[in-house]
mmCIF file of all heavy atoms in Angstrom:
data_model
loop_
_atom_site.group_PDB
_atom_site.id
_atom_site.type_symbol
_atom_site.label_atom_id
_atom_site.label_comp_id
_atom_site.label_asym_id
_atom_site.label_seq_id
_atom_site.Cartn_x
_atom_site.Cartn_y
_atom_site.Cartn_z
ATOM 1 N N LEU K 193 -6.713 4.234 -0.035
ATOM 2 C CA LEU K 193 -7.340 4.681 -1.292
ATOM 3 C C LEU K 193 -8.864 4.612 -1.249
ATOM 4 O O LEU K 193 -9.536 5.132 -2.133
ATOM 5 C CB LEU K 193 -6.817 3.843 -2.461
ATOM 6 C CG LEU K 193 -5.309 3.912 -2.696
ATOM 7 C CD1 LEU K 193 -4.914 3.039 -3.888
ATOM 8 C CD2 LEU K 193 -4.851 5.352 -2.892
ATOM 9 N N GLY K 205 -17.402 -10.439 -5.868
ATOM 10 C CA GLY K 205 -16.093 -9.810 -5.998
ATOM 11 C C GLY K 205 -15.738 -9.000 -4.776
ATOM 12 O O GLY K 205 -16.197 -9.267 -3.670
ATOM 13 N N VAL K 206 -14.932 -7.979 -4.979
ATOM 14 C CA VAL K 206 -14.464 -7.124 -3.897
ATOM 15 C C VAL K 206 -15.405 -5.929 -3.791
ATOM 16 O O VAL K 206 -15.766 -5.326 -4.794
ATOM 17 C CB VAL K 206 -13.014 -6.643 -4.167
ATOM 18 C CG1 VAL K 206 -12.531 -5.751 -3.051
ATOM 19 C CG2 VAL K 206 -12.082 -7.843 -4.356
ATOM 20 N N ALA K 213 -19.873 1.222 5.778
ATOM 21 C CA ALA K 213 -19.456 2.467 5.123
ATOM 22 C C ALA K 213 -20.412 2.804 3.980
ATOM 23 O O ALA K 213 -20.054 2.690 2.805
ATOM 24 C CB ALA K 213 -18.022 2.327 4.620
ATOM 25 N N GLN K 234 9.712 10.864 -10.207
ATOM 26 C CA GLN K 234 10.699 9.858 -9.825
ATOM 27 C C GLN K 234 10.168 8.850 -8.816
ATOM 28 O O GLN K 234 10.768 7.795 -8.609
ATOM 29 C CB GLN K 234 11.973 10.527 -9.279
ATOM 30 C CG GLN K 234 11.821 11.198 -7.921
ATOM 31 C CD GLN K 234 11.353 12.648 -7.982
ATOM 32 O OE1 GLN K 234 10.533 13.031 -8.807
ATOM 33 N NE2 GLN K 234 11.888 13.475 -7.085
ATOM 34 N N VAL K 235 9.049 9.129 -8.191
ATOM 35 C CA VAL K 235 8.503 8.220 -7.175
ATOM 36 C C VAL K 235 7.881 7.002 -7.854
ATOM 37 O O VAL K 235 7.067 7.128 -8.769
ATOM 38 C CB VAL K 235 7.453 8.925 -6.288
ATOM 39 C CG1 VAL K 235 6.816 7.938 -5.302
ATOM 40 C CG2 VAL K 235 8.080 10.097 -5.546
ATOM 41 N N SER K 250 -1.151 -8.666 -10.870
ATOM 42 C CA SER K 250 -1.675 -7.999 -12.069
ATOM 43 C C SER K 250 -3.054 -7.416 -11.834
ATOM 44 O O SER K 250 -3.353 -6.299 -12.263
ATOM 45 C CB SER K 250 -1.707 -8.966 -13.247
ATOM 46 O OG SER K 250 -0.400 -9.353 -13.585
ATOM 47 N N LEU K 256 -5.713 0.306 -10.160
ATOM 48 C CA LEU K 256 -5.279 1.685 -9.934
ATOM 49 C C LEU K 256 -5.525 2.549 -11.165
ATOM 50 O O LEU K 256 -5.585 2.043 -12.294
ATOM 51 C CB LEU K 256 -3.782 1.706 -9.597
ATOM 52 C CG LEU K 256 -3.366 1.064 -8.291
ATOM 53 C CD1 LEU K 256 -1.851 0.931 -8.221
ATOM 54 C CD2 LEU K 256 -3.894 1.863 -7.105
ATOM 55 N N GLN K 292 6.860 -6.597 6.685
ATOM 56 C CA GLN K 292 6.754 -6.935 5.264
ATOM 57 C C GLN K 292 7.438 -5.862 4.423
ATOM 58 O O GLN K 292 8.182 -6.158 3.484
ATOM 59 C CB GLN K 292 5.290 -7.093 4.862
ATOM 60 C CG GLN K 292 4.583 -8.241 5.536
ATOM 61 C CD GLN K 292 3.081 -8.204 5.315
ATOM 62 O OE1 GLN K 292 2.539 -7.317 4.657
ATOM 63 N NE2 GLN K 292 2.391 -9.184 5.893
ATOM 64 N N VAL K 312 -0.949 0.804 11.324
ATOM 65 C CA VAL K 312 0.144 1.595 11.891
ATOM 66 C C VAL K 312 0.624 1.090 13.247
ATOM 67 O O VAL K 312 1.582 1.640 13.795
ATOM 68 C CB VAL K 312 -0.260 3.082 12.012
ATOM 69 C CG1 VAL K 312 -0.580 3.653 10.641
ATOM 70 C CG2 VAL K 312 -1.433 3.263 12.952
ATOM 71 N N ASP K 314 2.510 -1.074 16.025
ATOM 72 C CA ASP K 314 3.786 -1.778 16.180
ATOM 73 C C ASP K 314 4.913 -1.279 15.280
ATOM 74 O O ASP K 314 5.965 -1.911 15.224
ATOM 75 C CB ASP K 314 3.617 -3.295 15.983
ATOM 76 C CG ASP K 314 2.736 -3.919 17.044
ATOM 77 O OD1 ASP K 314 2.684 -3.354 18.160
ATOM 78 O OD2 ASP K 314 2.115 -4.946 16.770
ATOM 79 N N ARG K 336 -5.346 16.160 6.902
ATOM 80 C CA ARG K 336 -4.155 15.943 7.733
ATOM 81 C C ARG K 336 -3.228 14.905 7.087
ATOM 82 O O ARG K 336 -2.015 15.078 7.059
ATOM 83 C CB ARG K 336 -4.566 15.485 9.127
ATOM 84 C CG ARG K 336 -3.378 15.184 10.012
ATOM 85 C CD ARG K 336 -3.799 14.709 11.372
ATOM 86 N NE ARG K 336 -4.329 15.846 12.110
ATOM 87 C CZ ARG K 336 -5.052 15.746 13.197
ATOM 88 N NH1 ARG K 336 -5.367 14.568 13.679
ATOM 89 N NH2 ARG K 336 -5.478 16.822 13.824
ATOM 90 N N ARG K 338 -3.144 14.074 3.846
ATOM 91 C CA ARG K 338 -2.587 14.645 2.611
ATOM 92 C C ARG K 338 -1.436 15.608 2.921
ATOM 93 O O ARG K 338 -0.447 15.656 2.196
ATOM 94 C CB ARG K 338 -3.672 15.332 1.787
ATOM 95 C CG ARG K 338 -4.638 14.362 1.144
ATOM 96 C CD ARG K 338 -5.524 15.016 0.097
ATOM 97 N NE ARG K 338 -6.167 16.227 0.530
ATOM 98 C CZ ARG K 338 -7.327 16.294 1.196
ATOM 99 N NH1 ARG K 338 -7.969 15.172 1.501
ATOM 100 N NH2 ARG K 338 -7.855 17.456 1.523
#
Side-chain angles (χ1 to χ4, degrees):
L193 300 180
V206 180
Q234 70 272 37
V235 176
S250 296
L256 294 169
Q292 295 169 0
V312 299
D314 296 333
R336 177 181 287 164
R338 289 192 311 274

